[in-house]
């Protein structure tokens, strides 16, 4: 068994002088930090562009299943290219907080800067750009036109556009491509820069033997290029309105269940096309990352269908998904690809069977082991029950950091946890859970940066079933210290999870051994 460890850290949460984490020097410095800390993986969240107006900036309801978030394009790199000036970037308002993203300001001010860069770029003379738009035309043309039309029609959802273009009729697509030509080309340019910069960052990480764990949302937003261009693949009526929406039944996050509002798939239509859209989507994501976490994996076995217009999820019901047919097609199309299964939530025997048949490791979240007093039972999430073939987390981006979560528990639950771990009162419960996760038999252990930092509620990224105040957290740059990387390195080494392939780790070990040898000689 190859034990390893990684850190969960969204790109958006990296330090930056321009309002949101990006593919700039701070991202490269974070890769260096991971290497110095002996980590094997950087787990990110979806890189897709969020719908600011409708979905409150969650990357799980995006304008596209294929496009990248233009907010992540490094403005510093564009200054170095000479298509922006430092003064222009510094003059743009992105907010005064270094620990909170202001999406309203990003929405208002980031794209105008990128537009200036596009206008000055002479991008049409770049052979790499011509290759990019040719090779990606199969998704890029629809996405770029979709974004140009959204701006042209005042950010209305595509179903409210004039009928000819809302129904993606060929003559209308041609007309708007011509009419909005430069706006369409601008969005192609932003995608070129996004992929160019991301691939460079990923190559830098891979050269240090750090793998990227990507993340794919199971659903896409109704207000997306995918649903607009391929409505036949989704559960829409003859007017392109949703007949049912995705969500989940009541659970630990919500007594009324959750309504996500995303359209459900017509799985029969996907089967008829050999799952072509899904194969393209998976292939594209595997170009971006080394491993892929599939969000809400259980929805591929059975999905929760809620009638459109419902106020709660209480009257939803389960429907059969594609099951193993999707993965048989994936293996046939692209061979084995490494996947992490997000199988959290309401579990059934059929979901467990599908996880076993895929052979993919699934997720174990320690917080979920303490939701009720069944310490002596076979609770899958308790440290002593964690198997080898899985990925263990103290908590994920959907959970409060350990310290915040622990402080809000009823006293009897806190005492149950103290009794389980054999610890007394502590304000540093994050250390207990981090150690417990690292100790488990799980092959892979992923710990959020917030839990390494011992943060509380202020470090939460997302609270499921709540639209407001999510996806805003950023880490202050001065917290990513050499002392922290040393702490993480020592804990990772202690529990046998060091990335021995890393040149930096090998150098560090040699230096430690030499220092120890010199100390013994002097004694």
């Amino acid at each position: 068994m190859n034990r390893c460890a990684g850190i969960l850290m969204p790109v958006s949460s990296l330090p930056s002088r321009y309002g949101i984490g990006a593919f700039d020097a701070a991202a490269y410095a974070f890769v260096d930090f991971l290497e110095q800390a002996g980590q094997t993986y950087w787990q990110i969240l979806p890189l897709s562009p969020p719908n600011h107006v409708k979905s409150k900036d969650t990357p799980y309801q995006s304008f596209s299943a294929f496009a990248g978030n233009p907010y992540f394009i490094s403005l510093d790199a564009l200054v170095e290219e000479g298509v922006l000036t430092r003064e222009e970037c510094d003059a743009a308002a992105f907010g005064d907080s270094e620990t909170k993203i202001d999406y309203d300001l990003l929405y208002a001010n980031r794209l105008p800067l990128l537009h200036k860069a596009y206008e000055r770029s002479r991008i049409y003379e770049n052979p790499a750009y011509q290759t990019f738009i040719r090779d990606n035309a199969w998704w890029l043309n629809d996405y770029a036109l979709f974004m140009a039309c959204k701006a042209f029609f005042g950010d209305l959802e595509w179903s409210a556009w004039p009928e000819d273009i809302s129904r993606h009729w060929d003559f209308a697509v041609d007309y708007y491509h011509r009419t909005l030509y430069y706006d369409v080309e601008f969005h192609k340019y932003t995608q070129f820069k996004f992929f160019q910069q991301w691939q460079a960052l990923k190559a830098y990480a891979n050269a240090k033997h750090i793998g990227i764990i990507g993340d794919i949302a199971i659903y896409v937003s109704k207000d997306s290029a995918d649903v607009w261009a391929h409505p036949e693949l989704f559960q829409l009526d003859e007017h392109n309105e949703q007949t049912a929406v995705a969500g989940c039944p009541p659970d630990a996050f919500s007594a009324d269940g959750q309504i996500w509002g995303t359209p459900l798939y017509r799985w029969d239509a996907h089967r008829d096309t050999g799952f072509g859209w899904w194969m393209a989507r998976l292939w594209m994501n595997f170009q971006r990352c080394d491993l892929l976490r599939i969000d809400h994996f259980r929805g591929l076995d059975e999905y929760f269908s809620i009638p459109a217009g419902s106020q709660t999820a209480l009257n939803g019901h389960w429907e059969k998904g594609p099951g193993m047919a999707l993965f048989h097609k994936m293996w046939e199309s692209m061979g084995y690809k490494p996947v992490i299964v997000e199988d959290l939530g309401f579990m059934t025997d059929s979901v467990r069977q599908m996880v076993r048949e895929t052979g993919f490791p699934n997720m174990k979240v320690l917080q979920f082991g303490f939701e009720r007093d069944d310490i002596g039972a076979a609770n899958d999430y308790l440290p002593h029950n964690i198997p080898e073939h899985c990925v263990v987390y103290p908590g994920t981006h959907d959970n409060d950091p350990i310290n915040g979560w622990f402080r809000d528990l009823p006293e009897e639950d806190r005492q149950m946890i103290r009794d389980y771990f054999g610890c007394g009162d502590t304000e540093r419960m994050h250390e207990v859970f981090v150690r417990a996760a690292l100790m488990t038999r799980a092959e892979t252990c992923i710990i959020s940066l917030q839990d390494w930092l011992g943060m509380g509620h202020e470090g939460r990224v997302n609270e499921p079933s709540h639209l407001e105040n999510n996806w805003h957290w950023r880490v202050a740059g001065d917290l990513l210290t050499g002392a922290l990387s040393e702490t993480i390195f020592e804990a990772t080494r202690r529990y046998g999870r060091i990335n021995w392939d890393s040149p930096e780790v090998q150098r560090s070990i040699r230096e430690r051994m030499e220092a120890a040898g010199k100390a013994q000689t002097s004694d």
Side-chain angles (χ1 to χ4, degrees):
M1 182 179 68
N2 183 24
R3 289 167 63 81
C4 59
I7 292 179
L8 171 60
M9 175 65 170
V11 171
S12 59
S13 297
L14 291 166
S16 170
R17 65 192 296 181
Y18 297 126
I20 190 171
F23 306 145
D24 54 19
Y28 286 83
F30 186 69
V31 171
D32 294 340
F33 176 87
L34 291 171
E35 183 185 30
Q36 292 156 10
Q39 303 301 286
T40 303
Y41 292 115
W42 176 10
Q43 180 171 335
I44 59 174
L45 296 180
L47 295 170
S48 46
N51 185 331
H52 175 67
V53 177
K54 298 295 290 184
S55 64
K56 295 299 181 183
D57 311 303
T58 168
Y60 290 96
Q61 290 200 41
S62 173
F63 285 134
S64 170
F66 300 93
N69 188 343
Y71 294 160
F72 294 164
I73 296 171
S74 169
L75 299 183
D76 289 331
L78 298 181
V79 170
E80 291 175 8
E81 289 178 26
V83 292
L84 288 177
T85 67
R86 182 67 63 198
E87 291 73 21
E88 288 170 331
C89 296
D90 291 342
F94 295 121
D96 297 326
S97 173
E98 67 171 341
T99 59
K100 185 175 181 180
I101 300 166
D102 189 325
Y103 282 100
D104 289 331
L105 290 176
L106 281 174
Y107 183 70
N109 299 323
R110 192 76 165 210
L111 289 184
L113 273 177
L114 294 176
H115 215 290
K116 285 182 180 179
Y118 159 68
E119 291 168 352
R120 299 166 181 168
S121 67
R122 303 180 68 171
I123 193 65
Y124 304 106
E125 300 174 10
N126 186 336
Y129 174 72
Q130 297 300 332
T131 299
F132 174 80
I133 62 173
R134 182 185 67 243
D135 291 349
N136 291 276
W138 54 276
W139 67 269
L140 183 60
N141 288 349
D142 278 327
Y143 168 75
L145 179 59
F146 174 84
M147 296 301 294
C149 285
K150 273 198 72 67
F152 185 74
F153 293 119
D155 281 330
L156 291 174
E157 282 197 11
W158 62 264
S159 56
W161 300 349
E163 183 181 22
D164 57 351
I165 189 62
S166 73
R167 292 195 175 263
H168 203 264
W169 290 341
D170 288 345
F171 76 87
V173 168
D174 291 341
Y175 170 78
Y176 283 100
H177 257 124
R178 294 192 304 270
T179 303
L180 304 175
Y181 177 81
Y182 290 107
D183 295 319
V184 171
E185 292 299 303
F186 162 68
H187 289 288
K188 292 182 180 180
Y189 166 80
T190 62
Q191 290 306 298
F192 172 68
K193 299 310 297 184
F194 170 92
F195 281 97
Q196 182 187 57
Q197 292 186 7
W198 170 247
Q199 290 301 332
L201 178 59
K202 179 179 179 295
Y204 183 79
N206 290 166
K208 294 175 175 289
H209 296 272
I210 293 171
I212 303 295
I213 301 177
D215 196 302
I216 181 173
I218 186 174
Y219 295 118
V220 296
S221 172
K222 194 234 174 171
D223 192 24
S224 67
D226 309 284
V227 183
W228 170 62
H230 305 285
E232 72 282 359
L233 298 178
F234 301 88
Q235 293 185 25
L236 307 180
D237 63 18
E238 64 274 14
H239 304 295
N240 282 336
E241 296 299 330
Q242 292 167 265
T243 57
V245 298
C248 67
D251 60 12
F253 293 113
S254 174
D256 290 333
Q258 298 175 39
I259 297 179
W260 301 333
T262 48
L264 296 166
Y265 296 108
R266 277 201 183 107
W267 284 115
D268 55 343
H270 285 272
R271 288 189 189 93
D272 290 344
T273 63
F275 297 105
W277 183 86
W278 263 94
M279 292 305 103
R281 187 184 188 199
L282 289 168
W283 177 86
M284 181 69 124
N285 276 275
F286 281 118
Q287 304 308 301
R288 296 180 185 176
C289 62
D290 301 296
L291 289 85
L292 183 62
R293 188 194 85 115
I294 298 181
D295 179 61
H296 195 58
F297 181 85
R298 75 137 304 152
L300 299 174
D301 173 59
E302 289 183 315
Y303 61 89
F304 201 63
S305 175
I306 305 167
S310 297
Q311 297 304 303
T312 73
L314 295 176
N315 58 344
H317 65 279
W318 293 100
E319 295 276 356
K320 287 301 294 181
M324 285 301 300
L326 182 69
F327 296 100
H328 289 151
K329 189 64 181 180
M330 184 182 84
W331 295 329
E332 175 189 324
S333 300
M334 59 190 85
Y336 175 80
K337 293 292 183 182
V339 167
I340 296 172
V341 168
E342 197 255 20
D343 59 340
L344 308 176
F346 181 69
M347 293 291 289
T348 63
D349 289 341
S350 61
V351 179
R352 294 187 182 95
Q353 178 60 28
M354 191 167 78
V355 173
R356 285 192 293 269
E357 287 187 41
T358 63
F360 299 144
N362 56 353
M363 293 174 58
K364 303 296 182 185
V365 179
L366 297 190
Q367 282 192 26
F368 296 162
F370 300 93
E371 290 180 347
R372 58 188 184 278
D373 192 1
D374 57 357
I375 297 298
N379 185 314
D380 289 346
Y381 301 109
L382 288 170
H384 68 273
N385 288 327
I386 302 295
E388 291 182 5
H389 191 52
C390 71
V391 184
V392 66
Y393 300 75
T396 75
H397 65 282
D398 285 331
N399 300 103
D400 226 347
I402 291 296
N403 283 345
W405 165 78
F406 182 76
R407 290 167 192 155
D408 281 355
L409 290 175
E411 174 54 29
E412 60 265 30
D413 289 350
R414 291 201 298 271
Q415 189 57 48
M416 174 183 67
I417 292 169
R418 295 186 197 106
D419 291 342
Y420 178 83
F421 288 113
C423 63
D425 277 332
T426 176
E427 291 298 310
R428 303 182 67 80
M429 187 55 71
H430 67 286
E431 294 179 349
V432 175
F433 272 75
V434 164
R435 280 198 304 272
L438 290 167
M439 280 184 195
T440 63
R441 291 184 298 152
E443 295 170 349
T444 305
C445 175
I446 304 294
I447 296 169
S448 71
L449 184 66
Q450 298 95 306
D451 282 334
W452 277 118
L453 289 167
M455 301 187 82
H457 302 310
E458 74 279 4
R460 187 162 193 167
V461 173
N462 181 50
E463 186 173 1
S465 79
H466 292 73
L467 286 178
E468 302 296 331
N469 298 317
N470 287 328
W471 309 102
H472 288 228
W473 175 75
R474 284 200 299 155
V475 66
D478 60 2
L479 295 180
L480 297 173
T481 63
L484 178 61
S485 68
E486 179 69 14
T487 296
I488 297 172
F489 182 96
E490 284 301 323
T492 306
R493 181 193 60 79
R494 184 177 303 121
Y495 299 112
R497 297 184 180 276
I498 281 290
N499 180 5
W500 296 109
D501 292 330
S502 164
E504 173 65 19
V505 168
Q506 293 174 7
R507 183 194 62 77
S508 177
I509 294 295
R510 284 196 304 271
E511 289 180 351
R512 290 161 191 254
M513 292 176 65
E514 290 171 0
K518 289 177 181 177
Q520 290 177 1
T521 300
S522 63
D523 290 343

